[in-house]
Amino acid sequence: MNISKEDIDFYKTKLGERITELRLKNGLSLRKLAIIADMEHHQILNIESGKTDLRLSTILKLSKALSVSPKDLLDTK
């Protein structure tokens, strides 16, 4: 099964939007989320802007920091 670059870019963008939504819902700045997730704030910025493919470990860190399950984090509607 081939996955197009456009499909990948679409889902990276949607995931970034979902993370932004959850971060704001939790009243967190980029820097605060980065501290909680033990990441660099520029990593969060790149993820939220859809520029980064996420590893499973990063998804787990972010879901824990945002107090949601990995499934809920990936629910891009």
Side-chain angles (χ1 to χ4, degrees):
M1 178 170 109
N2 291 332
I3 300 173
S4 71
K5 181 181 180 334
E6 290 80 18
D7 286 341
I8 292 169
D9 289 344
F10 173 79
Y11 283 104
K12 286 190 324 188
T13 299
K14 295 301 280 182
L15 179 57
E17 291 170 357
R18 177 70 173 147
I19 292 168
T20 302
E21 173 191 343
L22 291 168
R23 177 177 60 78
L24 295 174
K25 181 179 175 182
N26 284 291
L28 299 172
S29 68
L30 282 168
R31 290 186 186 273
K32 184 66 175 177
L33 177 57
I35 290 167
I36 295 168
D38 192 29
M39 298 173 66
E40 297 293 327
H41 76 279
H42 64 86
Q43 290 176 284
I44 305 290
L45 182 61
N46 286 337
I47 291 167
E48 288 188 358
S49 52
K51 296 178 182 175
T52 304
D53 280 329
L54 298 182
R55 295 170 47 153
L56 178 58
S57 58
T58 304
I59 291 169
L60 294 173
K61 283 181 177 183
L62 288 170
S63 65
K64 185 173 182 179
L66 293 166
S67 302
V68 296
S69 71
K71 179 185 174 204
D72 290 336
L73 182 68
L74 296 170
D75 183 11
T76 58
K77 300 171 186 135

